[in-house]
Amino acid sequence: MNTSTIDRYTLKQYTRLMLSFFGCLLVLTLFQYGVLYYKGVLDSILSISLLKAIVHHIGFTAITGIIMVFPFNFWENLRSKYGFNIVFVLLSFILIIEAMLTGYYCSTLVPLGSDLLGYSYSDMKITIANSGGFILSVYLFIGVVILISLFLGLYRVTSKVYHRISRMYPFTIVLFSLFLASLFTDGKPINQNKTQYLVVNLYNSSTEDNSYTSTEEYPLIKKPNIENVLGEYFTLKEQKPNIVFIMVEGLGRDFVGEGAEYGGFTPYLDSLTNKSLYWENFLSNTGRTFGVLPSLLGSLPFGKSGFMELEEFPNKLTLFSVLKNNGYHTSFYQGTNSSFDKVDRFLNSENVDFVLDKSGFGVNYQQQAEDAAGSSWGYPDKELFKKSISLPREENQPRLEVYMTISTHEPFIPPSQEYYEREVETILSKGNFDSRVEKVIEKNDNVFATLLYTDEAIKWFMQAYKSQPNYENTIFIITGDHRLIPIPQRNNISRFHVPLIMYSPMLKTTRKMSSVSSHFDVTPSILALLENQYELKMPKKVAWMGGALDMQTAFRSTKNIPLMRNKNELKEYISEEKLYTDGDIMEIDENMDISTAFGGSSVEATLERFKSINHYVTTENKIIPDSLAIFTIQKEKFTDSETVWLNSVYDGKDSDKGYFKARELAWNKKWDKALLLCRYNLSEAPSHIDTKILMGRVNSWKGNHDKATEILKECININPNYIDSYAALFDVYFWSDKTKEALELIIAVEANSASANEISAKISRARSQAKKANIKISEVTINSAGHTAGIIK
């Protein structure tokens, strides 16, 4: 920019800057509409919606101009060119933010709002990395260069079309009028300025009044007299049945069952709907994965950002705890990192017997292919099911098994991707899709290829499970955590619309329900079924958010169902056939379509009452009293002085940073401080295996070899592939002269870790030590079959 002839910038240059700013926003808007048109989301680019978007950007430019004109004028009067340069930098920063938020919206079809506050830095880092973090960084850098160049270019162009404005206050009045005009233009996320949406959303969330005014101490408490609506459909056996949940990432109703908008890509699940109890108008209570475990397995309220994000868990009842208290073996299986969304904390609080996550697969399983940035979520769905089937199961103990799939999540790269994409082409060529749906499928063939893969993986699992103990006494429950986000949605309720399929060899008859129920209703209904047949130890009172599943075959909606769209965004509420969404009252019909309704203003008031109860019971530990809790929350206790010290060295937000600080302390031989920080880190992230290994090492350095051995064996059982656990345990055995145990460890590491060569020196040392002690490998016995549980006894 040539500024040599200008001594001081005036309102003329400032106005040119704002016009250029608006021009950049207009380009970003056209980019957004173009991308959505290309993806098949929009029918056309030029539309009334685009005009509304332009109006809203005019309004945003106006209010930005009003706010920044005063610092511009102040700094220009104070020192020439300072005001102009400051405003230019600020506007450039806003444009970069707007571009990033627009890109996010084009990818997820949902604007980023206050849910931003619900994710930890580590969660966001993992999500970005597994969505092509490096490539996104490259694109972002290129985009920033182009955007700033466009900003400067437009500023130069405005000199040819702009003449002059001589006074400030008439100009600010014009800007303010434009802003007011935009407020009266109806806006939806697609045509709103994304930065303004984020700021307003964050403000509303932080200032929301959720004060609880009732005198009732435990407002959710009630007697567990849930009707046994499932009993007549099952021939239950003498022994309690196994319960197996499969929570399928992104499995929306739009992809499954008769009449699915994008049908044909889940043929096995489609067939299963005809052999099961099947709810076609079923709802997830949250629009993302963070809420499925507490809702489906606990019928629990949300808290502010999702139940698992609560800093301290209140007393609660879940299917995990109730069934474990009645002799069930409880387990959870997923192919990703269990610390994501703090799943590990939730499972730990429920004393779940066995957890398999990304760290526990071993050498015989293939991770999901890396994306262009070299990142992978973990193990694809079929590998997850194969690993589960390989694990031993007790024949005489009933089981609660819960699976969480991941393949149908970005970046949608299933094994044998080319094969499944050819299958998508075949289905398209033989199908009878309308042009809009066909276009969406063509533009998102990787998504539909992944649906085919996951469907086949579930089919494999259901067949393979027949070989497991007491298969004939098993109830399978399959549902989605929410609907796939990248595929266009029909309306605001589509995000929550998922199938519920309940299949069992004990099923007497099949039935399709068109009535509306939700994840909240599953745990109460399962327990009612079991309690009716068996002598269960049940709490005298419960605090379920839901009730009995609605078994009506015809469409009806009789329940009150809160719906949390994103973390921090509780904006939808169903009350019978009325839906409150973003300030509008809508009516739900038998196709789960929505239309403007008259009346129903009480729904918003009902939502506000729920918000106050939701906030109160989760922050004040008032879901159930201590006397009803099966497992009270065992929190690590720290003294006041310990807490002060911990807060001085670690902010508690990033478990990796906590680990590195503890390791630094340990290297400096401040072992007690290191162990204290390890305890604190594990209280927040119980699956952080490096911290556990460090605790083992520090205990050994202090001479407590037995405690170190116990900790490190637990690490190996949790993650048999992770070489650091073996390396640490080899050292402990060497220092404590446990030669035979070291030989056993050689068998285990060679059977279960792909990285045994990395510690060849420690393995050689163990063999040399055994040779000196005259102990032969043939004298050693160990379970080295590669099972995650029980590798080292």
Side-chain angles (χ1 to χ4, degrees), residues 529-588:
L529 170 68
L530 299 179
E531 189 181 17
N532 185 71
Q533 179 75 11
Y534 309 100
E535 292 185 6
L536 292 187
K537 291 183 286 185
M538 285 288 292
K540 294 180 180 178
K541 290 186 178 181
V542 296
W544 310 131
M545 291 295 301
L549 289 160
D550 194 334
M551 305 300 293
Q552 182 74 28
T553 57
F555 172 79
R556 71 177 182 184
S557 180
T558 62
K559 297 175 177 288
N560 290 330
I561 306 174
L563 303 170
M564 181 174 256
R565 185 188 307 174
N566 295 304
K567 293 182 179 181
N568 286 330
E569 291 191 344
L570 185 51
K571 297 181 176 181
E572 273 89 12
Y573 193 92
I574 289 176
S575 181
E576 298 180 346
E577 293 187 9
K578 294 291 194 298
L579 166 69
Y580 175 84
T581 174
D582 280 336
D584 297 324
I585 302 294
M586 314 295 285
E587 189 157 358
I588 308 170

Coordinates of all heavy atoms in Angstrom, one line a residue, residues 529-588:
L529 N -37.4 -54.7 32.5 CA -37.5 -56.1 31.9 C -36.8 -57.1 32.8 O -37.4 -58.1 33.1 CB -36.9 -56.1 30.5 CG -36.6 -57.5 29.9 CD1 -38.0 -58.1 29.5 CD2 -35.7 -57.3 28.7
L530 N -35.6 -56.8 33.3 CA -34.9 -57.7 34.1 C -35.5 -57.8 35.5 O -35.5 -58.9 36.1 CB -33.4 -57.2 34.2 CG -32.6 -57.1 32.9 CD1 -31.2 -56.6 33.2 CD2 -32.6 -58.5 32.2
E531 N -35.9 -56.7 36.1 CA -36.4 -56.7 37.4 C -37.7 -57.6 37.5 O -38.0 -58.2 38.5 CB -36.7 -55.3 37.9 CG -37.1 -55.2 39.4 CD -37.3 -53.8 39.8 OE1 -37.6 -52.9 39.0 OE2 -37.3 -53.6 41.1
N532 N -38.5 -57.6 36.4 CA -39.7 -58.3 36.4 C -39.5 -59.8 36.4 O -40.3 -60.6 36.9 CB -40.5 -57.9 35.1 CG -41.9 -58.6 35.1 OD1 -42.8 -58.2 35.8 ND2 -42.1 -59.6 34.2
Q533 N -38.3 -60.3 35.9 CA -38.0 -61.7 35.7 C -37.1 -62.2 36.8 O -37.2 -63.4 37.2 CB -37.4 -61.9 34.4 CG -37.0 -63.4 34.1 CD -38.2 -64.3 33.8 OE1 -39.3 -63.7 33.6 NE2 -38.0 -65.6 33.7
Y534 N -36.2 -61.4 37.3 CA -35.2 -61.8 38.2 C -35.2 -61.0 39.5 O -35.7 -59.9 39.5 CB -33.8 -61.7 37.6 CG -33.7 -62.3 36.2 CD1 -33.8 -61.5 35.0 CD2 -33.6 -63.7 36.0 CE1 -33.7 -62.1 33.8 CE2 -33.5 -64.2 34.7 CZ -33.6 -63.4 33.6 OH -33.6 -64.0 32.4
E535 N -34.6 -61.6 40.5 CA -34.5 -60.8 41.8 C -33.3 -59.9 41.7 O -32.2 -60.3 42.1 CB -34.4 -61.8 43.0 CG -35.7 -62.6 43.2 CD -35.6 -63.5 44.4 OE1 -34.5 -63.4 45.1 OE2 -36.5 -64.3 44.7
L536 N -33.5 -58.7 41.3 CA -32.4 -57.8 41.2 C -32.3 -56.9 42.5 O -33.3 -56.6 43.1 CB -32.6 -56.8 40.0 CG -32.6 -57.4 38.6 CD1 -32.6 -56.3 37.6 CD2 -31.3 -58.2 38.4
K537 N -31.1 -56.6 42.8 CA -30.9 -55.6 43.9 C -31.0 -54.2 43.2 O -30.2 -53.7 42.5 CB -29.5 -55.7 44.5 CG -29.3 -57.0 45.3 CD -28.0 -57.0 46.0 CE -26.9 -57.4 44.9 NZ -25.6 -57.6 45.6
M538 N -32.2 -53.6 43.4 CA -32.5 -52.3 42.8 C -32.6 -51.2 43.8 O -33.0 -51.4 44.9 CB -33.8 -52.4 42.0 CG -33.7 -53.2 40.7 SD -32.8 -52.2 39.4 CE -34.0 -50.9 39.1
P539 N -32.2 -50.0 43.5 CA -32.3 -48.9 44.4 C -33.8 -48.6 44.7 O -34.7 -48.9 43.8 CB -31.7 -47.7 43.6 CG -31.1 -48.2 42.4 CD -31.6 -49.6 42.2
K540 N -34.1 -48.1 45.8 CA -35.5 -47.9 46.2 C -36.1 -46.7 45.4 O -37.3 -46.6 45.2 CB -35.6 -47.6 47.7 CG -35.3 -48.8 48.6 CD -35.4 -48.5 50.0 CE -35.0 -49.7 50.9 NZ -35.1 -49.4 52.3
K541 N -35.2 -45.8 45.0 CA -35.6 -44.7 44.2 C -34.6 -44.5 43.1 O -33.4 -44.8 43.2 CB -35.8 -43.4 45.0 CG -37.0 -43.5 45.9 CD -37.3 -42.2 46.6 CE -38.5 -42.2 47.5 NZ -38.8 -40.9 48.2
V542 N -35.0 -43.9 42.0 CA -34.1 -43.6 40.9 C -34.3 -42.1 40.4 O -35.2 -41.4 40.9 CB -34.4 -44.5 39.7 CG1 -34.1 -46.0 40.0 CG2 -35.8 -44.4 39.2
A543 N -33.5 -41.7 39.5 CA -33.6 -40.3 39.0 C -33.4 -40.3 37.5 O -32.8 -39.5 36.9 CB -32.5 -39.5 39.6
W544 N -34.1 -41.3 36.8 CA -34.0 -41.4 35.4 C -34.6 -40.2 34.7 O -35.7 -39.7 35.1 CB -34.7 -42.6 34.8 CG -34.4 -43.9 35.5 CD1 -35.2 -44.9 35.9 CD2 -33.0 -44.5 35.7 NE1 -34.6 -46.0 36.5 CE2 -33.2 -45.8 36.3 CE3 -31.7 -44.1 35.5 CZ2 -32.1 -46.6 36.7 CZ3 -30.7 -44.9 35.8 CH2 -30.9 -46.1 36.4
M545 N -34.0 -39.7 33.6 CA -34.5 -38.6 32.9 C -35.7 -39.1 32.0 O -36.5 -38.4 31.6 CB -33.5 -38.0 32.0 CG -32.4 -37.2 32.7 SD -33.1 -35.8 33.5 CE -33.8 -34.9 32.1
G546 N -35.7 -40.4 31.7 CA -36.7 -41.0 30.8 C -37.6 -42.0 31.5 O -37.6 -42.1 32.7
G547 N -38.4 -42.7 30.7 CA -39.3 -43.7 31.3 C -39.3 -44.9 30.4 O -38.3 -45.3 29.8
A548 N -40.5 -45.5 30.2 CA -40.6 -46.7 29.4 C -40.6 -46.3 27.9 O -41.1 -45.3 27.5 CB -41.9 -47.4 29.8
L549 N -40.0 -47.2 27.1 CA -40.0 -47.0 25.7 C -41.5 -47.1 25.2 O -42.3 -47.9 25.7 CB -39.2 -48.1 25.0 CG -37.7 -48.0 25.1 CD1 -37.1 -49.4 24.8 CD2 -37.1 -46.9 24.2
D550 N -41.8 -46.2 24.3 CA -43.2 -46.2 23.7 C -43.3 -47.3 22.7 O -42.6 -47.3 21.7 CB -43.5 -44.8 23.1 CG -45.0 -44.6 22.8 OD1 -45.7 -45.6 22.7 OD2 -45.4 -43.5 22.8
M551 N -44.2 -48.3 22.9 CA -44.3 -49.4 22.0 C -45.5 -49.2 21.0 O -45.8 -50.2 20.3 CB -44.6 -50.7 22.9 CG -43.6 -51.0 23.9 SD -41.9 -51.2 23.3 CE -42.1 -52.7 22.4
Q552 N -46.0 -48.0 20.9 CA -47.1 -47.8 19.9 C -46.6 -47.9 18.5 O -45.6 -47.3 18.1 CB -47.7 -46.4 20.2 CG -48.8 -46.0 19.3 CD -50.1 -46.7 19.7 OE1 -50.3 -47.1 20.8 NE2 -51.0 -47.0 18.7
T553 N -47.3 -48.7 17.7 CA -46.9 -48.9 16.3 C -47.2 -47.6 15.4 O -46.4 -47.3 14.5 CB -47.5 -50.1 15.7 OG1 -48.9 -50.0 15.8 CG2 -47.1 -51.4 16.4
A554 N -48.3 -46.9 15.7 CA -48.6 -45.7 15.0 C -47.8 -44.6 15.5 O -47.4 -44.6 16.7 CB -50.1 -45.5 15.1
F555 N -47.7 -43.5 14.7 CA -46.9 -42.3 15.2 C -47.7 -41.6 16.3 O -48.9 -41.4 16.2 CB -46.7 -41.3 14.0 CG -46.1 -40.0 14.5 CD1 -44.8 -39.9 14.7 CD2 -47.0 -38.9 14.7 CE1 -44.2 -38.7 15.2 CE2 -46.4 -37.7 15.2 CZ -45.0 -37.6 15.4
R556 N -46.9 -41.3 17.3 CA -47.4 -40.4 18.3 C -46.2 -39.9 19.1 O -45.1 -40.5 19.1 CB -48.4 -41.1 19.3 CG -47.7 -42.1 20.3 CD -48.8 -42.6 21.2 NE -48.2 -43.6 22.2 CZ -48.9 -44.3 23.1 NH1 -50.2 -44.1 23.1 NH2 -48.3 -45.1 23.9
S557 N -46.3 -38.7 19.7 CA -45.2 -38.1 20.5 C -45.8 -37.6 21.8 O -46.5 -36.6 21.8 CB -44.5 -37.0 19.7 OG -43.5 -36.4 20.4
T558 N -45.5 -38.3 22.8 CA -46.2 -38.0 24.1 C -45.2 -37.6 25.2 O -45.6 -37.3 26.3 CB -46.9 -39.3 24.6 OG1 -46.0 -40.3 24.9 CG2 -48.0 -39.7 23.6
K559 N -43.9 -37.6 24.9 CA -42.9 -37.4 25.9 C -42.3 -36.0 25.9 O -42.4 -35.3 24.9 CB -41.7 -38.4 25.7 CG -42.1 -39.9 25.9 CD -40.9 -40.8 25.5 CE -41.3 -42.3 25.8 NZ -41.4 -42.6 27.2
N560 N -41.7 -35.6 27.0 CA -40.9 -34.4 27.1 C -39.4 -34.8 27.0 O -38.9 -35.6 27.8 CB -41.1 -33.7 28.5 CG -42.5 -33.1 28.6 OD1 -43.1 -32.7 27.6 ND2 -43.0 -33.0 29.8
I561 N -38.8 -34.3 25.9 CA -37.4 -34.8 25.6 C -36.5 -33.5 25.4 O -36.7 -32.9 24.3 CB -37.4 -35.6 24.3 CG1 -38.4 -36.8 24.5 CG2 -36.0 -36.2 24.1 CD1 -38.6 -37.7 23.3
P562 N -35.6 -33.3 26.3 CA -34.6 -32.2 26.0 C -33.6 -32.7 25.0 O -33.2 -33.9 25.0 CB -34.0 -31.9 27.4 CG -34.2 -33.2 28.1 CD -35.4 -33.8 27.6
L563 N -33.1 -31.8 24.1 CA -32.1 -32.2 23.1 C -31.0 -31.2 23.2 O -31.2 -30.0 22.9 CB -32.7 -32.2 21.7 CG -34.0 -33.1 21.5 CD1 -34.6 -32.8 20.2 CD2 -33.6 -34.5 21.6
M564 N -29.7 -31.7 23.5 CA -28.6 -30.8 23.5 C -27.8 -30.9 22.2 O -27.2 -31.9 21.9 CB -27.7 -31.1 24.7 CG -26.4 -30.3 24.8 SD -25.5 -30.6 26.3 CE -25.9 -29.2 27.3
R565 N -27.9 -29.8 21.4 CA -27.3 -29.9 20.0 C -25.8 -30.0 20.1 O -25.2 -30.9 19.4 CB -27.7 -28.6 19.3 CG -27.3 -28.6 17.9 CD -27.5 -27.2 17.3 NE -28.8 -26.7 17.4 CZ -29.2 -25.5 17.1 NH1 -28.3 -24.6 16.6 NH2 -30.5 -25.1 17.3
N566 N -25.1 -29.2 20.8 CA -23.7 -29.2 21.0 C -23.4 -29.0 22.5 O -24.3 -28.6 23.3 CB -23.0 -28.1 20.2 CG -23.1 -28.4 18.7 OD1 -22.8 -29.4 18.2 ND2 -23.6 -27.4 18.0
K567 N -22.2 -29.2 22.9 CA -21.8 -28.8 24.2 C -22.1 -27.3 24.4 O -21.8 -26.5 23.6 CB -20.3 -29.0 24.5 CG -19.9 -30.5 24.4 CD -18.4 -30.7 24.7 CE -18.0 -32.1 24.7 NZ -16.6 -32.4 25.0
N568 N -22.8 -27.0 25.5 CA -23.2 -25.6 25.9 C -24.4 -25.1 25.1 O -24.7 -24.0 25.2 CB -22.0 -24.6 25.7 CG -21.0 -24.7 26.8 OD1 -21.3 -25.1 27.9 ND2 -19.7 -24.5 26.5
E569 N -25.0 -26.0 24.3 CA -26.1 -25.5 23.4 C -27.3 -26.3 23.6 O -27.5 -27.3 22.9 CB -25.7 -25.5 22.0 CG -24.6 -24.4 21.6 CD -24.4 -24.2 20.1 OE1 -24.9 -25.1 19.4 OE2 -23.8 -23.2 19.8
L570 N -28.1 -26.0 24.6 CA -29.4 -26.6 24.9 C -30.5 -25.8 24.4 O -31.0 -24.9 25.1 CB -29.5 -26.9 26.4 CG -30.7 -27.7 26.9 CD1 -30.8 -29.0 26.2 CD2 -30.5 -27.9 28.4
K571 N -30.8 -26.0 23.1 CA -31.7 -25.0 22.4 C -33.0 -25.7 21.8 O -33.8 -25.1 21.2 CB -31.0 -24.3 21.2 CG -29.8 -23.5 21.7 CD -29.2 -22.8 20.5 CE -28.1 -21.8 21.0 NZ -27.5 -21.1 19.8
E572 N -33.0 -27.0 22.0 CA -34.2 -27.8 21.5 C -34.9 -28.5 22.6 O -34.2 -29.0 23.5 CB -33.8 -28.8 20.4 CG -33.7 -28.2 19.0 CD -32.4 -27.6 18.6 OE1 -31.4 -27.9 19.4 OE2 -32.3 -26.9 17.6
Y573 N -36.2 -28.6 22.5 CA -37.0 -29.3 23.5 C -38.3 -29.8 22.9 O -39.0 -29.0 22.2 CB -37.3 -28.4 24.7 CG -37.8 -29.1 25.9 CD1 -36.9 -29.6 26.9 CD2 -39.1 -29.4 26.1 CE1 -37.4 -30.2 28.0 CE2 -39.6 -30.0 27.2 CZ -38.7 -30.5 28.2 OH -39.2 -31.1 29.3
I574 N -38.5 -31.1 23.1 CA -39.8 -31.6 22.5 C -40.7 -31.8 23.7 O -40.4 -32.4 24.7 CB -39.5 -33.0 21.9 CG1 -38.8 -32.8 20.5 CG2 -40.8 -33.7 21.6 CD1 -38.4 -34.1 19.9
S575 N -41.9 -31.3 23.5 CA -43.0 -31.5 24.5 C -44.2 -32.0 23.7 O -44.8 -31.3 22.9 CB -43.4 -30.2 25.2 OG -44.4 -30.5 26.1
E576 N -44.4 -33.4 23.8 CA -45.4 -34.1 23.0 C -45.1 -33.8 21.5 O -44.0 -34.2 21.1 CB -46.8 -33.6 23.4 CG -47.1 -34.0 24.9 CD -48.5 -33.6 25.4 OE1 -49.1 -32.8 24.7 OE2 -48.9 -34.1 26.4
E577 N -46.0 -33.2 20.7 CA -45.8 -33.1 19.3 C -45.3 -31.7 19.0 O -45.2 -31.3 17.8 CB -47.1 -33.4 18.5 CG -47.5 -34.9 18.6 CD -48.6 -35.2 17.7 OE1 -49.0 -34.4 16.9 OE2 -49.2 -36.3 17.8
K578 N -44.9 -30.9 20.0 CA -44.3 -29.6 19.7 C -42.8 -29.6 19.9 O -42.3 -30.3 20.8 CB -45.0 -28.6 20.7 CG -46.4 -28.3 20.5 CD -46.7 -27.6 19.2 CE -48.1 -27.1 19.1 NZ -49.2 -28.1 19.1
L579 N -42.1 -28.9 19.1 CA -40.7 -28.8 19.2 C -40.3 -27.3 19.3 O -40.7 -26.5 18.5 CB -40.0 -29.4 17.9 CG -38.5 -29.0 17.7 CD1 -37.6 -29.7 18.8 CD2 -38.0 -29.4 16.3
Y580 N -39.6 -27.0 20.4 CA -39.0 -25.7 20.5 C -37.6 -25.7 20.0 O -36.8 -26.5 20.4 CB -39.0 -25.2 22.0 CG -38.3 -23.9 22.2 CD1 -39.0 -22.7 22.0 CD2 -37.0 -23.8 22.5 CE1 -38.4 -21.5 22.2 CE2 -36.3 -22.6 22.7 CZ -37.0 -21.4 22.5 OH -36.4 -20.2 22.7
T581 N -37.3 -24.9 19.0 CA -35.9 -24.9 18.4 C -35.5 -23.4 18.0 O -36.2 -22.8 17.2 CB -35.8 -25.8 17.2 OG1 -34.6 -25.7 16.6 CG2 -36.9 -25.6 16.2
D582 N -34.5 -22.9 18.6 CA -33.9 -21.6 18.2 C -35.0 -20.5 18.3 O -35.1 -19.6 17.5 CB -33.3 -21.6 16.8 CG -31.9 -22.2 16.9 OD1 -31.3 -22.2 17.9 OD2 -31.5 -22.7 15.8
G583 N -35.9 -20.6 19.3 CA -36.9 -19.6 19.5 C -38.2 -19.8 18.7 O -39.1 -19.0 18.9
D584 N -38.2 -20.8 17.9 CA -39.5 -21.1 17.1 C -40.2 -22.3 17.7 O -39.6 -23.3 18.2 CB -39.1 -21.4 15.7 CG -38.5 -20.2 15.0 OD1 -38.9 -19.1 15.2 OD2 -37.6 -20.5 14.1
I585 N -41.5 -22.3 17.6 CA -42.3 -23.4 18.0 C -42.8 -24.1 16.7 O -43.4 -23.6 15.8 CB -43.6 -23.0 18.8 CG1 -43.2 -22.2 20.0 CG2 -44.4 -24.2 19.1 CD1 -42.5 -23.1 21.1
M586 N -42.4 -25.4 16.6 CA -42.7 -26.2 15.4 C -43.5 -27.4 15.8 O -43.6 -27.8 17.0 CB -41.4 -26.7 14.7 CG -40.3 -25.6 14.6 SD -40.8 -24.3 13.5 CE -40.7 -25.1 11.9
E587 N -44.2 -28.0 14.8 CA -44.9 -29.3 15.1 C -44.3 -30.4 14.3 O -43.8 -30.3 13.2 CB -46.4 -29.1 14.6 CG -47.3 -30.2 15.0 CD -48.7 -29.9 15.0 OE1 -49.1 -28.7 14.8 OE2 -49.6 -30.7 15.3
I588 N -44.2 -31.6 15.0 CA -43.6 -32.8 14.4 C -44.7 -33.6 13.8 O -45.7 -33.9 14.5 CB -42.8 -33.6 15.5 CG1 -41.9 -32.6 16.2 CG2 -42.1 -34.7 14.9 CD1 -41.2 -33.3 17.5

